């Protein structure tokens, strides 16, 4: 186990030090990009604010951030887990194809864009607060769960949620869908079997950040899925 002072270090130097040990704590992180990119078999704690593409192409490492993270956290990650004890910027989980991302607070624009699933790989992203526009844009697989904790009067998601969605599911914890959805997305109120699908991930969220999973699961959720009868590809393909 090592503790690395990131002050004055660029991402190349930082990643070389991370590769030298299995368990790593990074102090004074301030915007270094690509931390742990492509790594596996590591347990990494980041104190500070990592820069763009934290855990990009991650292949089995666990990363915990004690603070916020910038854009594209978990970009194209394949396996592992990223826990953010704050908020994330735009495009979290971009093209994510496996593993799990847990964000205590909010996410910016385009969270889960191009998320996909293949065979035994099921990417999952849980956002505790609210999300910006284009949540789940072009989603092709996996699960996105937005809990809306402390959202108050703010909408749980902003504009264009599910635009281009053609696979996977989005779970929104809210009393009603009072915002516009694309015509290619359908929604239904979550039944008990739907909630069972996300139960373990909400329990994980509460284990990492606190809260009562049982109480959260008693809330209303809505499930967004692509409408196979009105596929998005029809906007581009002429028969």
């Amino acid at each position: 186990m090592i503790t690395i002072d990131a002050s004055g270090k660029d991402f190349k130097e930082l990643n070389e030090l991370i590769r030298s040990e299995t368990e790593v704590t990074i102090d004074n992180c301030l915007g270094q990009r690509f931390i742990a990119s492509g790594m596996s078999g590591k347990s990494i704690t980041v104190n500070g604010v990592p820069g763009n593409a934290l855990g990009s192409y991650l292949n089995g490492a666990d990363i915990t951030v004690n603070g916020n993270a910038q854009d594209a956290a978990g970009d194209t990650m394949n396996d592992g887990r990223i826990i953010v004890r704050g908020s994330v910027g735009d495009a979290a989980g971009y093209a994510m194809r496996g593993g799990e991302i847990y964000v205590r607070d909010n996410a910016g624009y385009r969270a889960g864009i191009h998320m996909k699933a293949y065979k035994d790989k099921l990417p999952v992203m849980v956002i505790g607060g609210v999300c910006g526009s284009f949540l789940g844009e072009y989603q092709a697989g996996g699960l996105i769960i937005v809990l809306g904790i402390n959202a108050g009067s703010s909408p749980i998601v902003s504009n264009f949620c599910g635009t281009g969605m053609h696979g996977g599911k989005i779970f929104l914890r809210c009393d009603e869908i009072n915002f516009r959805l694309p015509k290619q997305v359908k929604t239904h109120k979550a039944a008990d079997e739907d909630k069972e699908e996300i139960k373990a991930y909400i329990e994980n969220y509460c284990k990492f950040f606190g809260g009562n999973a049982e109480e959260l699961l008693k809330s209303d959720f809505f499930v967004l899925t692509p409408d196979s009868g009105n596929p998005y590809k029809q906007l581009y393909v002429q028969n």
Side-chain angles (χ1 to χ4, degrees):
M1 177 179 176
I2 61 169
T3 298
I4 302 168
D5 185 350
S7 302
K9 293 180 175 61
D10 65 14
F11 73 90
K12 292 181 180 179
E13 183 180 2
L14 199 51
N15 276 337
E16 283 301 313
L17 290 168
I18 293 170
R19 290 188 186 97
S20 69
E21 291 287 342
T22 301
E23 190 171 347
V24 177
T25 297
I26 302 170
D27 288 338
N28 301 313
C29 188
L30 188 60
Q32 287 91 343
R33 300 173 296 162
F34 310 121
I35 290 175
S37 180
M39 294 188 191
S40 59
K42 305 286 185 185
S43 178
I44 301 164
T45 299
V46 181
N47 296 317
V49 181
N52 291 0
L54 167 75
S56 61
Y57 304 98
L58 199 69
N59 200 32
D62 289 335
I63 302 173
T64 298
V65 180
N66 293 318
N68 298 324
Q70 293 182 359
D71 297 346
D75 181 352
T76 324
M77 70 181 285
N78 188 55
D79 199 1
R81 181 178 285 167
I82 298 175
I83 299 168
V84 179
R85 300 184 186 280
S87 296
V88 293
D90 298 338
Y94 178 93
M96 182 183 179
R97 56 197 183 196
E100 300 171 7
I101 297 175
Y102 294 87
V103 179
R104 187 190 66 191
D105 299 329
N106 305 320
Y109 296 155
R110 290 190 159 92
I113 179 175
H114 285 301
M115 182 186 281
K116 60 202 73 175
Y118 180 68
K119 292 187 177 179
D120 63 337
K121 296 289 187 182
L122 180 72
V124 178
M125 181 158 50
V126 183
I127 308 296
V130 300
C131 295
S133 297
F134 295 101
L135 173 71
E137 185 180 26
Y138 307 122
Q139 184 181 354
L143 301 176
I144 299 173
I145 304 164
V146 186
L147 298 177
I149 297 170
N150 298 323
S153 59
S154 300
I156 191 169
V157 297
S158 197
N159 300 322
F160 312 113
C161 177
T163 298
M165 183 183 185
H166 54 101
K169 297 179 181 180
I170 299 173
F171 286 78
L172 303 178
R173 178 177 164 267
C174 54
D175 296 330
E176 59 179 338
I177 299 295
N178 55 3
F179 45 86
R180 288 185 62 185
L181 292 171
K183 294 180 180 179
Q184 291 74 31
V185 172
K186 59 183 181 179
T187 182
H188 68 270
K189 194 171 183 178
D192 289 343
E193 56 266 30
D194 295 309
K195 291 184 180 182
E196 192 64 30
E197 188 175 359
I198 62 172
K199 179 181 178 182
Y201 306 113
I202 292 179
E203 288 175 341
N204 280 343
Y205 177 92
C206 292
K207 180 175 70 175
F208 301 144
F209 307 123
N212 188 316
E214 185 176 343
E215 288 300 316
L216 288 172
L217 286 162
K218 287 179 182 177
S219 305
D220 288 335
F221 282 80
F222 284 85
V223 187
L224 278 55
T225 55
D227 184 355
S228 59
N230 187 19
Y232 189 77
K233 65 182 180 180
Q234 289 184 358
L235 293 179
Y236 299 103
V237 179
Q238 293 183 351
N239 295 324

